Amino acid sequence: MRILGISAHYHDSAAALVVDGVPVCAVQEERLSRSKNDASFPLAAIGWCLEHGGLEPGDLDAVVFYEKPMLKFDRILTMALREFPASWASFPRAMKNSLGGKLWVKGLITSQLGVPGKRVLFSEHHQSHAAAAFLTAPTRRAAILTADGVGEWATLSLGRGSISESGDAKIELFRELRFPHSLGMLYSTFTAYLGFKVNEGEYKVMGLASYGSPAFEPLMRKIVRRAADGAPVLDLSYFEYHRGARRSFSDRLAAELGPPRDPDAAIDLATPEGKRYADIAASVQRVLEDILVDLARSLREETGLDDLCLGGGVALNGCANARILRESGFRNVYVPSAPGDAGCAMGAALAADRLHFKRPHVEAPDHPYWGPPIDGAQLTRIAREDGLELAETAGEAELLDRVSLELARGRIVGWMQGRTEFGPRALGNRSILAAPHSAAMRDRLNRGIKYREQFRPFAPAVPLSKADRFFELPPGGARLGRFMSGVFPVRPEWRDRLAAVTHVDGTARVQTVDPEAAPRFHALLEAYGARTGIPVLLNTSFNLAGEPIVNRAVEGYTTFRRSGIDVLVAGETVVEKPRTRELAPEAVA
Ligand SMILES: [Fe+2]
């Protein structure tokens, strides 16, 4: 049975293909269209998935959309009526922005793909999140918690999943929080207040939080109250998003917290204003974490299960995930590589396979590499045409030897291997790698390549078996680090030698690299360790600010040419910028 899953029209469209119950491929539209967070109907992603699977649209048994457009329409209309007349001016915009082409999705799918309407299915939004989290995790019984901005009505759901001996999968979401009460919208509202782009800048709030103290917690507790069952209840007088307004927070919030940050003004943490922003970030982060830990703890008590699957965009908050693991009583916390809406394409396809067609469960391969493969020969051709010197290394051993030496010399490496990651994080297949030892390297990356704010940390990657030596991982922490989903303390004795990847509060969003899932990246870490004594590399996504992560060798090459990256690797082809040869600094470790 061949099932195509699609997510589209809100943020970060994607397509995924599941054949006979097993994921075959998945890719976000932005990686192919090269337009960041591309939300359009993912024709390129669908086309690539079909091509990769060797299928024509007519071969598909079902095409599954990741949410139910009519329920979403119901929510937008109801909210507009409830908030009337405050909402009257914004209703047409809300319809256009939030609903976009969704109501016409069935017609769109049938006309674009030529698939008959009876083969088009719809999965509820949080069901898609839950399926993406549970049906890809290596567990047969788990509690499920999903949280995001909003889907149709639900913004958070609690439930459980099970797979019987015979492979019958069940997902039961037994409680939900409904719009406008939403942890995702709460966090996004403060993302906007702090002058960052919603749906992109949430990482910045988390990074900034480490510089502050939760001085605004009493106000936050007023803004977010707790119902008797622990569910968060927002005081809506602090918000505007539910009215479909252009600004998500109200004048009252600005009056009580002070003026919002101008997005164009730099954050200077040495000033009282900079400190206020950091304190606000720390306060909203604290409240979010406390609520999630409480909800997870009661879910653990209610279900008695050891495993928790987390889904929805809120599951990208690695600090919250780590606290859930440490404090809720669950032994394992599983977060898929794409817990956000892009991952719903995979979730919707898997949900259709197991729950709609009731086919037996098949364990999904436990890795994030579902996108297009790299073509090293393409890099060879382009670099030759451009007159650059290049080396085709003779096999993996020589490649690893060469690249680990470049890294140890302090050079910055663009590293493209295998298939593109599915999800927002580069996990060693489309990564910029560098020595993790000095703060100077962090500053060089920020200045010359990533153009990021100084308060945003870089992440380390380490072989799974050696993670404990450098990082304080609680039981289950290594698993949470598999897709970089948890933030953990760097062991104090290593912080000076891992300065480029240690955040101001002594933590790091560590990736634990499993040799079975990422053999070449793992081997590179080991080669670097053999050379320097420290098998840890700084791993940041291979893109420039504002651009999607690179996909093909040609995009890697243009990024390399426009930035401070010294060495570019695609497959076994290595290209070096001529000027960097004379500038090689001393080995760093
Ligand atoms: Fe979502």
Side-chain angles (χ1 to χ4, degrees):
M1 176 158 288
R2 291 160 287 212
I3 304 175
L4 182 75
I6 296 173
S7 66
H9 296 316
Y10 176 56
H11 180 259
D12 214 4
S13 299
L17 182 66
V18 169
V19 175
D20 295 333
V22 185
V24 170
C25 53
V27 66
Q28 289 142 267
E29 185 72 1
E30 63 158 30
R31 306 292 162 90
L32 304 175
S33 72
R34 310 307 302 156
S35 164
K36 192 164 170 78
N37 300 130
D38 194 338
S40 55
F41 188 74
L43 273 178
I46 293 169
W48 178 77
C49 283
L50 291 175
E51 190 189 317
H52 184 82
L55 301 176
E56 295 293 328
D59 299 328
L60 294 168
D61 296 287
V63 179
V64 195
F65 194 65
Y66 80 126
E67 64 181 16
K68 296 195 167 172
M70 281 316 289
L71 286 175
K72 187 145 191 159
F73 178 69
D74 175 55
R75 192 249 303 163
I76 290 171
L77 192 60
T78 308
M79 289 309 298
L81 291 173
R82 206 183 279 170
E83 296 297 327
F84 192 84
S87 65
W88 74 272
S90 59
F91 180 66
R93 194 176 61 250
M95 285 293 293
K96 187 170 172 293
N97 289 355
S98 301
L99 211 51
K102 271 180 185 160
L103 272 185
W104 323 114
V105 163
K106 194 166 195 165
L108 194 61
I109 291 173
T110 53
S111 65
Q112 293 282 355
L113 302 186
V115 177
K118 63 176 189 307
R119 288 196 207 158
V120 180
L121 306 173
F122 295 87
S123 166
E124 276 190 35
H125 190 103
H126 276 253
Q127 176 94 308
S128 302
H129 277 312
F134 175 63
L135 295 173
T136 60
T139 174
R140 294 178 87 86
R141 291 177 77 224
I144 299 172
L145 192 165
T146 63
D148 66 358
V150 63
E152 296 98 358
W153 273 104
T155 63
L156 182 147
S157 67
L158 301 170
R160 67 162 75 81
S162 64
I163 292 153
S164 71
E165 287 288 311
S166 59
D168 273 347
K170 274 201 185 83
I171 291 178
E172 180 199 359
L173 299 179
F174 45 69
R175 206 163 308 128
E176 68 179 25
L177 182 68
R178 294 192 133 211
F179 191 84
H181 303 284
S182 163
L183 292 180
M185 294 303 290
L186 168 75
Y187 209 81
S188 292
T189 296
F190 280 91
T191 302
Y193 174 89
L194 288 168
F196 306 123
K197 223 170 157 183
V198 168
N199 285 328
E200 281 178 56
E202 282 76 3
Y203 295 117
K204 300 184 186 183
V205 178
M206 201 179 83
L208 188 58
S210 303
Y211 287 86
S213 58
F216 294 90
E217 206 180 327
L219 176 59
M220 290 294 167
R221 304 266 173 218
K222 227 167 74 177
I223 294 171
V224 195
R225 294 207 176 83
R226 311 291 295 278
D229 64 355
V233 180
L234 302 188
D235 181 336
L236 295 171
S237 66
Y238 289 100
F239 301 92
E240 291 282 351
Y241 61 78
H242 55 295
R243 300 176 193 269
R246 282 187 193 278
R247 201 175 72 165
S248 52
F249 54 89
S250 70
D251 291 341
R252 184 176 178 195
L253 186 80
E256 294 190 27
L257 269 184
R261 187 178 82 85
D262 172 0
D264 297 324
I267 294 180
D268 182 353
L269 291 160
T271 63
E273 200 57 355
K275 179 78 168 59
R276 183 175 72 92
Y277 299 139
D279 287 350
I280 291 169
S283 305
V284 70
Q285 177 68 27
R286 167 71 62 86
V287 168
L288 176 85
E289 288 177 11
D290 286 353
I291 294 170
L292 287 170
V293 167
D294 282 355
L295 289 169
R297 196 182 288 133
S298 46
L299 191 58
R300 155 91 185 143
E301 280 161 19
E302 187 173 350
T303 60
L305 295 165
D306 286 334
D307 293 348
L308 173 66
C309 293
L310 282 179
V314 175
L316 287 166
N317 195 305
C319 294
N321 295 346
R323 271 197 62 195
I324 290 171
L325 177 65
R326 277 199 307 268
E327 298 177 34
S328 68
F330 284 107
R331 282 197 198 155
N332 290 298
V333 173
Y334 297 109
V335 182
S337 66
D341 283 1
C344 285
M346 177 84 82
L350 289 169
D353 185 77
R354 310 292 200 273
L355 310 174
H356 179 80
F357 294 109
K358 300 198 181 305
R359 291 166 38 80
H361 180 73
V362 193
E363 201 157 302
D366 195 8
H367 65 71
Y369 310 112
W370 297 110
I374 197 68
D375 177 6
Q378 188 184 53
L379 176 59
T380 306
R381 280 194 306 276
I382 301 166
R384 262 200 197 119
E385 278 168 20
D386 214 11
L388 270 199
E389 193 182 313
L390 59 98
E392 275 172 83
T393 49
E396 184 164 287
E398 194 188 324
L399 174 81
L400 299 175
D401 191 54
R402 169 101 192 261
V403 177
S404 61
L405 176 65
E406 300 286 3
L407 288 162
R409 282 177 171 164
R411 284 170 167 168
I412 297 171
V413 174
W415 173 256
M416 310 177 80
Q417 297 293 342
R419 295 176 63 180
T420 303
E421 297 88 347
F422 186 46
R425 286 174 185 143
L427 296 165
N429 278 14
R430 298 293 184 276
S431 291
I432 293 172
L433 305 176
H437 315 294
S438 73
M441 176 59 84
R442 183 191 61 211
D443 296 343
R444 206 172 124 204
L445 277 162
N446 271 330
R447 269 200 318 272
I449 299 172
K450 302 291 280 191
Y451 313 112
R452 308 201 311 185
E453 299 84 350
Q454 48 144 353
F455 56 82
R456 291 184 65 196
F458 286 106
V462 62
L464 180 63
S465 61
K466 296 180 175 158
D468 266 330
R469 194 174 144 212
F470 303 98
F471 305 98
E472 289 172 14
L473 299 175
R479 170 68 216 193
L480 199 51
R482 190 178 181 91
F483 303 144
M484 248 187 215
S485 308
V487 172
F488 300 106
V490 179
R491 289 194 184 279
E493 64 272 30
W494 285 103
R495 286 179 192 172
D496 284 347
R497 280 170 288 179
L498 294 174
V501 293
T502 301
H503 201 23
V504 62
D505 57 2
T507 63
R509 197 178 67 199
V510 57
Q511 179 192 358
T512 50
V513 182
D514 178 349
E516 283 188 26
R520 186 168 275 182
F521 187 37
H522 184 271
L524 179 66
L525 288 163
E526 292 288 12
Y528 183 78
R531 202 177 274 283
T532 65
I534 303 178
V536 179
L537 285 170
L538 180 156
N539 171 16
T540 185
S541 56
F542 194 164
N543 63 319
L544 303 185
E547 296 181 5
I549 296 176
V550 300
N551 174 35
R552 297 175 302 159
V554 61
E555 290 130 22
Y557 188 75
T558 55
T559 306
F560 162 71
R561 291 298 265 170
R562 285 180 295 141
S563 69
I565 297 172
D566 302 309
V567 177
L568 178 65
V569 184
E572 285 170 13
T573 303
V574 181
V575 181
E576 192 182 339
K577 274 184 197 150
R579 62 183 170 82
T580 64
R581 251 177 275 136
E582 297 88 56
L583 296 174
E586 292 297 305
V588 283

